[in-house]
Amino acid sequence: TNISDSDEATKFIKSINENKDKKEEYGKAADIASAILNYGARAQIYFGYKTDKLASDGLTLTGTVFNDTSIINNITNEANKASVTSANAKVTFKSAYLSLNSTTDLCVSVQFADDVTVKEDMFAIWCNTDQISKDQYEVTKVNEENCYKITLHGMKASMLNEKYAFYVELSDTEYAELAYGADSYAYTVMSSACDNINNIESLREVVKALYAYGICARNYEYYKNDGNN
């Protein structure tokens, strides 16, 4: 939501969109510029923050990536659903959610059996074949019981549509693993199970905008790293 606090930043992002036909890089960046403003505005509405001055005021979403029906179909794909890919009787994945504050964080709560001695090196997070650096996440004890929260901090925009493997190793032969990502959170938010949650329609607009933002960021990163070589 902080985008609405900076008129200069908002003007610059909008100028990218307005000049997309004049400069190749602006053309490539037009979708992500729109996505940033759209996501910022949807978050403003959800959190009730400066709703009289939305980041997206005057913006028209024209890219195919912003097609509402397509976004909903992609989010509600069963492949996005959270899943315990390896179960263990001594480990229960109690909850998982996306924290939409100043940074975008993935949070997973894990309950251990009483006879398990929890150590920091038991936890790991993977994305595809890459292990996430330990300085990117933290593990904290939640309460007096044997329950811990894993928080993956500051997800990169271009990685928003990836699914992460939250891994807990009990021994060389025993482990548990949960597959979860921002799209998993969006999948839950869009499901009928959340229909009665307060302000749910506004939250659904947020996760749709976040999904589009992730796609645009990934596409632009590809252009910067590979597409223009």
Side-chain angles (χ1 to χ4, degrees):
T1 59
N2 292 339
I3 188 69
S4 65
D5 287 331
S6 175
D7 288 338
E8 291 305 313
T10 303
K11 288 177 182 177
F12 174 72
I13 294 173
K14 286 182 177 178
S15 73
I16 292 174
N17 214 334
E18 292 166 358
N19 293 285
K20 62 183 179 182
D21 297 326
K22 299 177 182 179
K23 188 176 180 181
E24 181 186 10
E25 187 169 355
Y26 278 12
K28 297 295 185 181
D31 278 352
I32 190 172
S34 296
I36 290 170
L37 296 174
N38 183 49
Y39 172 57
R42 302 288 78 75
Q44 280 180 259
I45 294 170
Y46 178 69
F47 289 109
Y49 183 78
K50 293 189 176 182
T51 55
D52 60 333
K53 186 181 179 183
L54 296 178
S56 63
D57 283 348
L59 176 69
T60 301
L61 298 175
T62 58
T64 56
V65 69
F66 300 110
N67 180 275
D68 199 63
T69 301
S70 178
I71 290 173
I72 293 172
N73 288 340
N74 288 332
I75 289 176
T76 56
N77 188 310
E78 283 286 321
N80 291 325
K81 189 176 181 179
S83 60
V84 177
T85 52
S86 294
N88 188 288
K90 294 186 177 182
V91 178
T92 302
F93 292 101
K94 294 192 69 175
S95 66
Y97 61 94
L98 187 68
S99 176
L100 300 169
N101 291 310
S102 56
T103 61
T104 306
D105 302 338
L106 275 182
C107 305
V108 173
S109 293
V110 186
Q111 178 78 55
F112 293 90
D114 292 338
D115 62 345
V116 175
T117 300
V118 179
K119 299 178 181 179
E120 188 174 335
D121 61 2
M122 293 170 62
F123 301 91
I125 303 176
W126 292 78
C127 183
N128 299 317
T129 58
D130 297 323
Q131 185 170 4
I132 303 300
S133 171
K134 289 186 179 295
D135 62 5
Q136 291 182 248
Y137 67 92
E138 64 177 326
V139 179
T140 54
K141 191 167 186 179
V142 175
N143 51 36
E144 295 302 317
E145 298 177 354
N146 225 6
C147 187
Y148 291 77
K149 183 171 78 169
I150 312 166
T151 304
L152 175 60
H153 290 293
M155 293 175 65
K156 189 177 178 182
S158 60
M159 301 291 285
L160 284 170
N161 303 110
E162 295 287 348
K163 188 176 271 190
Y164 294 81
F166 289 80
Y167 182 86
V168 180
E169 184 179 41
L170 298 172
S171 68
D172 290 340
T173 58
E174 288 187 289
Y175 68 94
E177 185 177 305
L178 173 72
Y180 190 76
D183 288 350
S184 306
Y185 174 79
Y187 177 93
T188 300
V189 168
M190 297 300 293
S191 72
S192 59
C194 292
D195 283 350
N196 295 323
I197 293 178
N198 186 44
N199 209 18
I200 186 60
E201 291 307 323
S202 181
L203 180 57
R204 284 170 174 164
E205 291 301 316
V206 172
V207 298
K208 287 192 293 182
L210 184 66
Y211 177 86
Y213 177 31
I215 295 295
C216 292
R218 185 186 66 191
N219 290 345
Y220 185 68
E221 184 172 278
Y222 172 79
Y223 159 72
K224 293 294 288 184
N225 293 340
D226 300 304
N228 60 347
N229 291 337

